[in-house]
Amino acid sequence: MTFKEKYQDKVVQIDKLLMRYCPAKEGHQSDIMDAMEYNLLAGGKRIRPMLMQEVYHLFGGTEDMIEPFMAAIEMIHTYSLVHDDLPAMDNDDYRRGRKTTHIVYGEDMAILTGDALLNYAFETASTAFDLAPEKSFVIGKALQVLSKKAGIYGMIGGQVVDVKSTGKRIDAETLDFIYKLKTAALIEASMMIGAILAGASDEEVKVVEKIAEKVGLSFQIQDDILDVESTAEVLGKPIHSDEKNDKMTYVTWKGLKEATKVVEQMSKEAVSMLESLHPSDDFLKQLLLYLIHREK
Amino acid sequence: MTFKEKYQDKVVQIDKLLMRYCPAKEGHQSDIMDAMEYNLLAGGKRIRPMLMQEVYHLFGGTEDMIEPFMAAIEMIHTYSLVHDDLPAMDNDDYRRGRKTTHIVYGEDMAILTGDALLNYAFETASTAFDLAPEKSFVIGKALQVLSKKAGIYGMIGGQVVDVKSTGKRIDAETLDFIYKLKTAALIEASMMIGAILAGASDEEVKVVEKIAEKVGLSFQIQDDILDVESTAEVLGKPIHSDEKNDKMTYVTWKGLKEATKVVEQMSKEAVSMLESLHPSDDFLKQLLLYLIHREK
């Protein structure tokens, strides 16, 4: 199998896993389950659960307690998109080629759908205590990382500064801060949780965090590059949205050429750190490079 | 000390605890910490953390791992108010006598503040693993209850049906469903977590859940009564809001007299169940009666 075939195969497996972890549509509140599924099963690259699973295997993990965490990290990523798209935030009508939640279900339900997905992420991750009760402390450590990297010292923190900075001239340090928190933090959580649940040492988890930071930053800069270079058809969302929203990005700041160079440089560093940690995982190495050089 | 003095004393202690668990205002994202504190330290009856602590003591709990959970349940309650007040939801400008979050910080920040409080609740509760690592499994059980009762099978589920039912004629079963999920679920979580962390048996936790359900339902019906009978000055929020929002309540459905009778009846049952579980906790017994017969 080629890398692309393996990757597609893993996406299919993760989609199936997410389907299993979607709450059944039942009860008076079935509309919210419907809206959660609408977003959770909308496709997507599934890179966060995939990275988590690959790192888990890299460190010798074999149990199914990784699965609720794989579902949880995708739920958190998904809720952040639902709330990002709201009229009071980016006010986007389309996402992944489909109408956004507030367009389909109304603004009140879109707020509740985001809340529900965030809450359900922790509800789902917490089922791991039943799958591996003897590993409860390690599962607790994974929950600490998940909640920290998703919150005000991670993704939400980045989002706050991003919102506050729109339309303003910001310095390089602030831009870097936004990228690290808004995008890299959740990728750090994905890879760190894979390592933690597999029993990696604190030192190993720290190296994984560093690798993930580089992956996350490159991933975001590549996103900015695609927003300028790609087409709406390929991306499934409007291009030039940064320009439209008057957002300063690495590309508007340094230019396309320099941005491309930085992505190259950081991805090389990430792969070389991964090799020094563990010499032989070809798929993960290829995955990192694919994410960074992707076309959508 | 009278009951009222003891109660006030405990409120002060919980306010101090919440102050300790408020994130420090630092970094580029300090605005969000500010908005979190604005809501978390805005006063309030603190009944959820207080019930949690009292039940924890009732079952012999003595450790400080209860504290992050006390803070967490209040953070969840608080986030739900912030999102409830949003223009796309109840569109309220005042809460506890002060301007609501979207009025003070803007709508985008209010959405993020709610998200941040919900996420930080789990981040805070997860610190319990460091306080009592040997009790990790029990802490995991408490997290399962917290997330379930706050989510689509609890508070959010009730909120969804409430939003969907506004302006509609609903049947008694649906009204009961909304009350159980929207209000009672989080009170159930509070009391159950107190019992679980203190090492209560599964059977005991189930009885506590039943007691809490009665407390929660009576509490909500009393809320409806106050919305009709009290004044905005006493409540610190607009009265007749149910009428304004065209919301069906137990009072609009059954009338004031019947509603008052139901509150009496259920509070008696709750206290008698508590006595059969544990004969001698006077403060908790008085607290249940106070909550149900409160004037604001």
Side-chain angles (χ1 to χ4, degrees), chain A residues 82-291:
Chain A
V82 174
H83 279 185
D84 262 23
D85 289 335
L86 283 169
M89 306 283 283
D90 286 352
N91 195 20
D92 280 320
D93 293 353
Y94 284 90
R95 160 83 63 185
R96 290 170 180 165
R98 309 197 314 162
K99 285 183 175 165
T100 46
T101 315
H102 59 277
I103 300 292
V104 179
Y105 296 87
E107 200 177 335
D108 49 1
M109 278 295 287
I111 293 166
L112 288 168
T113 302
D115 294 349
L117 283 165
L118 172 56
N119 190 94
Y120 204 62
F122 289 106
E123 193 170 346
T124 300
S126 299
T127 64
F129 292 104
D130 295 325
L131 296 176
E134 76 289 355
K135 303 229 164 132
S136 290
F137 182 67
V138 166
I139 295 168
K141 284 281 142 195
L143 277 170
Q144 288 179 347
V145 169
L146 184 67
S147 53
K148 181 160 186 193
K149 295 287 185 183
I152 52 174
Y153 304 107
M155 189 182 70
I156 295 174
Q159 180 66 1
V160 167
V161 184
D162 196 24
V163 162
K164 290 266 157 193
S165 306
T166 298
K168 282 186 196 151
R169 181 89 206 142
I170 53 173
D171 59 19
E173 191 264 332
T174 309
L175 191 65
D176 191 56
F177 180 91
I178 295 172
Y179 279 35
K180 273 188 187 152
L181 270 66
K182 195 182 169 184
T183 308
L186 219 55
I187 294 188
E188 287 164 24
S190 307
M191 296 180 71
M192 289 167 78
I193 288 169
I196 289 167
L197 290 181
S201 70
D202 289 354
E203 289 68 35
E204 287 169 324
V205 174
K206 268 189 198 129
V207 177
V208 168
E209 188 176 17
K210 283 275 162 226
I211 296 173
E213 187 188 304
K214 287 180 195 294
V215 175
L217 289 175
S218 317
F219 186 82
Q220 183 57 50
I221 298 174
Q222 182 68 11
D223 220 53
D224 302 337
I225 294 173
L226 292 173
D227 190 59
V228 175
E229 280 199 329
S230 191
T231 65
E233 289 71 37
V234 172
L235 289 184
K237 63 180 179 183
I239 56 164
H240 302 306
S241 68
D242 296 327
E243 203 186 318
K244 184 192 101 190
N245 293 324
D246 203 9
K247 269 192 187 168
M248 188 177 157
T249 72
Y250 203 87
V251 172
T252 63
W253 181 51
K254 283 281 193 178
L256 258 181
K257 210 173 147 189
E258 174 67 16
T260 310
K261 224 162 83 184
V262 168
V263 169
E264 286 291 339
Q265 179 59 28
M266 273 204 283
S267 61
K268 259 188 210 151
E269 287 167 15
V271 169
S272 116
M273 283 174 81
L274 179 70
E275 280 171 339
S276 73
L277 192 71
H278 227 277
S280 69
D281 195 303
D282 268 355
F283 179 79
L284 182 52
K285 210 190 303 175
Q286 287 173 304
L287 179 61
L288 296 191
L289 292 171
Y290 167 70
L291 291 176

Side-chain angles (χ1 to χ4, degrees), chain A residues 18-25 30-43 46 78 82 96 98 101 105 113 117 120:
Chain A
L18 290 173
M19 231 172 279
R20 273 197 289 121
Y21 276 98
C22 255
K25 285 177 225 171
S30 63
D31 282 355
I32 192 89
M33 287 94 165
D34 196 69
M36 289 164 83
E37 187 187 285
Y38 179 79
N39 284 286
L40 207 50
L41 304 184
R46 311 305 192 194
T78 305
V82 174
R96 290 170 180 165
R98 309 197 314 162
T101 315
Y105 296 87
T113 302
L117 283 165
Y120 204 62

